[in-house]
């Protein structure tokens, strides 16, 4: 058996970004950036984020490896809490992932029919990751390399739960690595000036990530334009103490869906690299 335990938060965020059930829209295309996006008023709260259904095809590009193409067409008999939202400000969310769980007993497959991905005239079927998790599928190693502008097309024959669909998206420009030098310190309760290079996209995301109590924590901002972002002190003050292995991750993300009350989403996420830029996050110096 290849898949036994998943970190539910990791899987959910990978499939949906920080937008799922969070009253914020995903970007749907690429454009020319004219100004940086800044955070708005800060709302501090502990709000559980839940899923009761996944209907998504995710294309993940993280150099230097080949693209990963996965899909999830699943329902949860009981809504699943995948993360706690600790704060929100404009396009930014502070999220603390849920604990790892065995998903085999809590996922039910949606009947979607056969799913095929087409890239550069190569058609690849999506097949189950594991017999016990038939609603999770992958394209395996047969996917050709992707470049900016290549079109990814996903279509299904449809089934009893999900009608047939046909979605296409071009691969977006990739954001450059964070310009914050490795080893630089970010002070909790002070403004954080974050930057990135090498993109004209208006669909950039920036995440400051780490581990808290063995679970992922992320201050994640999406749908950005420009080449920099300053997070206000009121937001960074809510970063918990004791977070380990902090890093800054940048990239671009675009999505399109079928619309309706239960849409199917095609999402392309391109990370700057596999590691990100390591930083130290701590309290003010006495």
């Amino acid at each position: 058996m290849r898949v036994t335990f998943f970190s539910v938060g990791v899987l959910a965020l990978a499939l949906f970004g920080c937008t799922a059930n969070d009253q914020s829209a995903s970007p749907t295309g690429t454009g020319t950036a004219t100004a940086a996006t800044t955070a708005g008023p800060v709302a501090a709260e502990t709000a559980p984020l839940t899923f009761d259904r996944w209907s998504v095809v995710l294309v993940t590009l993280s150099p230097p490896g080949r693209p990963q193409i996965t899909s999830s067409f699943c329902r949860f008999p009981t809504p699943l809490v995948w993360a706690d939202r600790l704060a929100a400000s404009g396009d930014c969310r502070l999220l603390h992932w849920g604990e790892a769980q065995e998903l085999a007993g809590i996922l039910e497959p949606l009947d979607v029919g056969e799913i095929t991905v087409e890239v550069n005239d190569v058609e690849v079927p999506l097949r189950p990751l594991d017999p016990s998790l038939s609603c999770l599928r992958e394209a395996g190693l047969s996917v050709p390399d992707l470049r900016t502008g290549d079109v990814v097309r996903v279509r299904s024959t449809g089934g009893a739960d999900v009608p047939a669909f046909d979605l296409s998206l071009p691969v977006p420009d990739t954001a450059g690595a964070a310009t914050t030098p490795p080893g630089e310190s970010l002070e909790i309760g002070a403004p954080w000036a974050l930057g990135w290079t090498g993109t004209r996209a208006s669909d950039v995301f920036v995440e400051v990530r780490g581990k808290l109590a063995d679970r992922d924590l992320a201050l994640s901002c999406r749908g950005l334009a420009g080449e920099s972002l300053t997070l206000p002190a009121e937001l960074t003050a809510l970063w918990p103490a004791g977070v380990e292995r902090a890093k800054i991750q940048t990239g671009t993300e675009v999505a399109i869906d079928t619309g309706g009350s239960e849409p199917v989403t095609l999402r392309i996420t391109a990370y700057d690299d596999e590691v990100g830029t390591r930083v130290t996050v701590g309290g003010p110096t006495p």
Side-chain angles (χ1 to χ4, degrees):
M1 179 178 293
R2 296 177 52 199
V3 181
T4 304
F5 289 91
F6 283 96
S7 169
V8 173
V10 170
L11 180 59
L13 195 65
L15 291 170
F16 284 88
C18 71
T19 57
N21 285 5
D22 206 11
Q23 295 79 50
S24 58
S26 299
T28 57
T30 301
T32 300
T34 56
T37 299
T38 56
V42 176
E45 58 181 343
T46 300
L49 305 182
T50 63
F51 286 126
D52 56 18
R53 181 183 176 108
W54 283 336
S55 298
V56 63
V57 178
L58 177 68
V59 181
T60 304
L61 293 85
S62 182
R66 285 195 171 190
Q68 294 181 335
I69 301 183
T70 58
S71 72
S72 172
F73 288 88
C74 317
R75 68 163 62 93
F76 295 94
T78 302
L80 173 73
V81 177
W82 65 272
D84 287 323
R85 187 182 63 216
L86 306 182
S89 179
D91 296 314
C92 301
R93 304 288 185 269
L94 180 60
L95 302 173
H96 194 200
W97 273 235
E99 295 183 358
Q101 296 187 36
E102 185 177 5
L103 296 186
I106 60 175
L107 286 179
E108 294 180 356
L110 296 171
D111 183 2
V112 63
E114 300 299 320
I115 307 172
T116 303
V117 175
E118 180 180 337
V119 178
N120 297 331
D121 297 323
V122 177
E123 295 186 354
V124 180
L126 297 187
R127 303 189 185 281
L129 278 162
D130 184 271
S132 66
L133 292 168
S134 59
C135 61
L136 304 177
R137 308 186 193 186
E138 65 174 351
L141 301 177
S142 302
V143 181
D145 290 337
L146 290 175
R147 297 167 295 179
T148 300
D150 286 346
V151 175
V152 178
R153 180 185 181 189
V154 180
R155 60 186 185 275
S156 84
T157 58
D161 299 312
V162 181
F165 61 87
D166 191 334
L167 297 171
S168 297
L169 265 182
V171 175
D173 289 333
T174 302
T179 55
T180 303
E184 181 169 329
S185 296
L186 298 175
E187 182 180 316
I188 297 173
W192 293 357
L194 309 177
W196 55 92
T197 59
T199 184
R200 296 175 298 169
S202 59
D203 40 46
V204 175
F205 64 84
V206 176
E207 298 176 340
V208 183
R209 306 183 65 160
K211 290 284 188 180
L212 178 65
D214 294 324
R215 293 185 283 143
D216 286 320
L217 181 98
L219 206 171
S220 178
C221 304
R222 290 176 128 74
L224 306 177
E227 295 183 347
S228 64
L229 170 71
T230 299
L231 299 176
E234 295 82 3
L235 181 59
T236 71
L238 300 175
W239 182 271
V243 177
E244 301 176 337
R245 302 196 296 277
K247 65 180 181 180
I248 303 173
Q249 190 92 50
T250 61
T252 52
E253 184 176 78
V254 292
I256 189 171
D257 64 49
T258 57
S261 59
E262 295 181 339
V264 175
T265 300
L266 168 62
R267 185 182 303 275
I268 302 179
T269 304
Y271 289 93
D272 64 306
D273 58 41
E274 291 185 312
V275 177
T277 302
R278 300 291 181 181
V279 293
T280 300
V281 182
T285 303

